[in-house]
Amino acid sequence: MEIRTNRIKQKLANGDVAYVVGGLTNADDIDAFGPNGFDGVWLEGEHGNVDATNLGNLTRACDLWGMTSVVRVNRNDQALIYRTLDCGAMGIVVPHVNTKAEAQNVVDGGKFAPIGHRGMFTSRQGYGVNNYFTTANSQTLLVVLIEDIAAINNLDEILTVEHIDVFFVAPSDLAASMGYIGNHQHPDVQNTIDDALASIQEAGRVAGTLALDDTVEKYVKAGVQFLLVGVGGWISAGAAAYKQRAENAKNNT
């Protein structure tokens, strides 16, 4: 048995764009979405119900389609990070990483020695893999969220931390930290996001952000490689269009 390839890490290493979908809350939804060819699924453990009790089934569904399971945990805690990996996640997203020390803590919890201090346990991804402890680090994805103005101010130092795969600029919390609650479209916020994404790439690191239908082209042209989109907007738009077609047909009869 060979360790599974982390599809997102592979695409990023090749300089390609990685497509990640959020908003899928159970294994059946992941199965239904699987044929669409995305690279990863963002499983929500900060604002959603993802935890150790359901991670096995969620990550198995991702495995069936070759998609990387990426779990956002709710705090920067080493034990929580490696327990989440032990339960089958192939990637970790850590919120509110505002300093170099906090970024290093993510690495310490997410990587086995000699890189980090992850507890020595063969995760579900390691069953039957004889050399798991020597190969797991190469297939474990680490993402830190740059979502506070404090992180922006410390970004140059944060970017010096090795073994972090993606520095993800998160718009909504960043806007709130800048005094623009619920208004991430404010020019000050957008300029801050654009500057941060550019700085990440200038440092030779991988940038990620939320990229919706109306912004995905902008961010791809800007060099962003890790693109997150939620299914909620697509569902709402599709539902509204369907109802509108029905109403138009009714009014034209």
Side-chain angles (χ1 to χ4, degrees), residues 166-177:
V166 179
F167 297 82
F168 186 101
V169 182
S172 294
D173 281 280
L174 179 58
S177 75

Side-chain angles (χ1 to χ4, degrees), residues 4-242:
R4 291 182 179 89
T5 299
N6 189 310
R7 186 161 149 186
I8 292 177
K9 281 183 70 81
Q10 185 178 57
K11 292 199 73 175
L12 297 179
N14 291 336
D16 296 329
V17 171
Y19 301 100
V20 183
V21 65
L24 304 177
T25 58
N26 61 65
D28 288 338
D29 287 343
I30 294 170
D31 266 336
F33 189 85
N36 290 300
F38 267 54
D39 303 301
V41 178
W42 179 294
L43 300 170
E44 190 52 68
E46 182 185 17
H47 300 295
N49 66 345
V50 173
D51 59 24
T53 62
N54 57 13
L55 259 178
N57 285 333
L58 292 169
T59 58
R60 267 188 289 272
C62 293
D63 290 346
L64 287 173
W65 293 98
M67 294 189 291
T68 301
S69 51
V70 184
V71 180
R72 173 158 60 171
V73 296
N74 60 11
R75 62 188 182 279
N76 191 354
D77 178 273
Q78 289 188 31
L80 174 62
I81 290 169
Y82 64 69
R83 185 191 190 194
T84 303
L85 293 168
D86 290 345
C87 290
M90 297 185 76
I92 295 289
V93 179
V94 178
H96 300 289
V97 174
N98 292 332
T99 67
K100 179 179 179 179
E102 290 173 359
Q104 185 60 52
N105 193 68
V106 176
V107 176
D108 290 343
K111 298 289 186 179
F112 289 118
I115 296 173
H117 309 300
R118 179 179 171 185
M120 300 297 289
F121 179 80
T122 301
S123 83
R124 191 183 67 71
Q125 296 290 348
Y127 294 154
V129 180
N130 292 329
N131 60 345
Y132 179 71
F133 292 120
T134 59
T135 58
N137 284 345
S138 69
Q139 300 303 324
T140 300
L141 179 86
L142 299 181
V143 181
V144 298
L145 293 191
I146 306 300
E147 55 182 342
D148 297 285
I149 195 63
I152 298 295
N153 294 335
N154 294 324
L155 187 56
D156 288 344
E157 287 192 356
I158 294 172
L159 290 171
T160 66
V161 177
E162 297 296 329
H163 306 293
I164 292 173
D165 296 284
V166 179
F167 297 82
F168 186 101
V169 182
S172 294
D173 281 280
L174 179 58
S177 75
M178 295 176 64
Y180 301 109
I181 295 176
N183 185 19
H184 68 267
Q185 295 295 341
H186 191 281
D188 289 349
V189 179
Q190 287 298 305
N191 289 337
T192 300
I193 292 171
D194 292 343
D195 289 346
L197 294 171
S199 295
I200 292 165
Q201 294 172 81
E202 288 168 4
R205 312 306 295 271
V206 174
T209 196
L210 180 67
L212 305 181
D213 285 4
D214 58 347
T215 58
V216 64
E217 292 179 349
K218 166 191 172 181
Y219 289 126
V220 169
K221 289 177 180 178
V224 177
Q225 286 182 258
F226 185 102
L227 303 177
L228 172 66
V229 64
V231 297
W234 294 338
I235 292 171
S236 296
Y242 179 88

